[in-house]
């Protein structure tokens, strides 16, 4: 009789546990500011598909694109630290409050091409940067690419003199402020979600971003010229928080990490094509200004003072490690 009771109790407990599991999947809230049709959006969708399939529905990924939940400034980072969301992929420079070295990504003409950036993401220097987030309760999981930035405005921009007196939306970054100053212009830091309106209302004269962001944010509706300056990069850091990561079982953690690794591959696979495709579509909607070698050299020379001011803050060790991977 006793053993029958024990069996019944055991079955009831197992059923209860599996019902609880079925009723309560692990939810991963992933907030980002771009649309789904961007390198970040595609990688996010790949992560969701992988994790939900591999966990058999035990883990659920909720995607919140287009700043619908948080902006990825401090508001988003705080939400992550307090575990209100579990994944954030801000552009690297937005983490400068935790380590000023994350502004490396803004340094003009530092990266030669997309492969150079990829080599950096696999380097010890990149791992060290990610580890520096540890003390804030954050866990750096890797870097995802977007690509090279270009300027837009309502006039063609080829040489430093063309920028004089204009106002440009930038991300909040000392390096970008110094960059615009070096060109005789002013940086106006604004959240990504506010840029279209600021351009439409003439609060700023222009902005800098990747081709996929320029296209998916429809800046072509409010800007006439796209100047292919390719003067800097915009790339991302994938971050989660320790509270969430420590709450996962070893199996769930493996699925989560494998999902990140898979999404990482997708991000690198998609980024170049998405930016190239965006350029083709932008050519039909804007005047595209190509720079000659001389124009490019003049732009690069004008931006050199940025290194004098910011290389010591970012660290020559990191900059030289990146240059060595050219
Ligand atoms: C993003 O690509 O996540 C937005 C970058 C920006 O603020 O310009």
């Amino acid at each position: 009789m006793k053993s029958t009771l024990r069996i019944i109790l055991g079955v009831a407990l197992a059923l209860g546990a599996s019902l609880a599991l079925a009723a309560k999947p692990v939810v991963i809230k992933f907030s980002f500011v771009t649309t789904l049709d961007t390198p970040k959006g595609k990688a996010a969708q790949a992560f969701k598909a992988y994790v939900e399939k591999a966990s058999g529905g035990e883990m659920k990924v909720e995607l919140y694109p287009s700043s619908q939940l948080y902006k990825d400034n401090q508001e988003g980072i705080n939400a992550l630290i307090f575990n209100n969301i579990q994944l954030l992929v801000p552009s690297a420079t937005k983490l400068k409050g935790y380590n000023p070295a994350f502004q490396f990504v803004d340094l003009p003409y530092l990266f030669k091409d997309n492969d150079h950036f990829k080599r950096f993401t696999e380097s010890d220097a990149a791992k060290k940067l990610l580890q520096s987030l540890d003390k804030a309760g954050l866990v750096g999981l890797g870097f995802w690419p977007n690509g090279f930035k270009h300027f837009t405005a309502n006039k063609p921009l080829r040489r430093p003199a063309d920028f004089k007196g204009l106002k440009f939306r930038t991300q909040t970054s000392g390096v970008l402020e110094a960059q615009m100053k070096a060109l005789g212009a002013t940086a106006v830091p604004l959240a990504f979600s506010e840029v279209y309106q600021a351009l439409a209302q003439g609060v700023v004269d222009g902005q800098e971003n990747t081709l996929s962001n320029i296209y998916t944010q429809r800046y072509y509706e409010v800007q006439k010229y796209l100047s292919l300056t390719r003067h800097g990069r915009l790339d991302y850091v994938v971050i989660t928080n320790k509270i969430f990561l420590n709450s996962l079982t070893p199996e769930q953690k493996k699925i989560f990490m494998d999902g990140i690794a898979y999404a990482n591959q997708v991000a690198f696979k998609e980024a170049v094509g998405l930016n190239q495709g965006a350029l083709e579509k932008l050519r039909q909607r804007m005047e595209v200004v190509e720079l000659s070698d001389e124009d490019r050299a003049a732009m690069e020379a004008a931006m050199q003072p940025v290194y004098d001011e910011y290389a010591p803050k970012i660290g020559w060790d990191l900059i030289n490690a990146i240059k060595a991977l050219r």
Side-chain angles (χ1 to χ4, degrees), residues 180-202:
M180 297 321 305
K181 194 167 154 216
L183 292 172
T186 308
V188 180
L190 287 174
F192 189 55
S193 54
E194 291 160 10
V195 182
Y196 182 96
Q197 277 306 322
L199 291 168
Q201 292 167 0

Side-chain angles (χ1 to χ4, degrees), residues 33-34 40 72 89-91 94 146 169 171 190-192 208-209 213 234 236:
V33 296
T34 63
K40 184 157 47 181
D72 65 356
V89 184
S91 94
K94 290 175 183 166
N146 189 327
R169 179 272 172 173
Q171 300 173 79
L190 287 174
F192 189 55
E208 51 157 30
N209 222 307
N213 277 350
L234 192 155
Y236 306 115

Side-chain angles (χ1 to χ4, degrees), residues 3-55:
S3 62
T4 315
L5 268 177
R6 237 182 266 132
I7 291 169
I8 292 171
L9 194 65
V11 170
L13 280 174
L15 198 66
S18 61
L19 278 176
L21 266 183
K24 269 193 140 208
V26 172
V27 175
I28 301 166
K29 291 190 178 172
F30 185 170
S31 167
F32 51 102
V33 296
T34 63
T35 67
L36 289 168
D37 302 330
T38 55
K40 184 157 47 181
K42 295 279 183 198
Q45 291 173 83
F47 173 75
K48 176 179 165 71
Y50 182 95
V51 166
E52 292 186 348
K53 183 157 186 243
S55 69

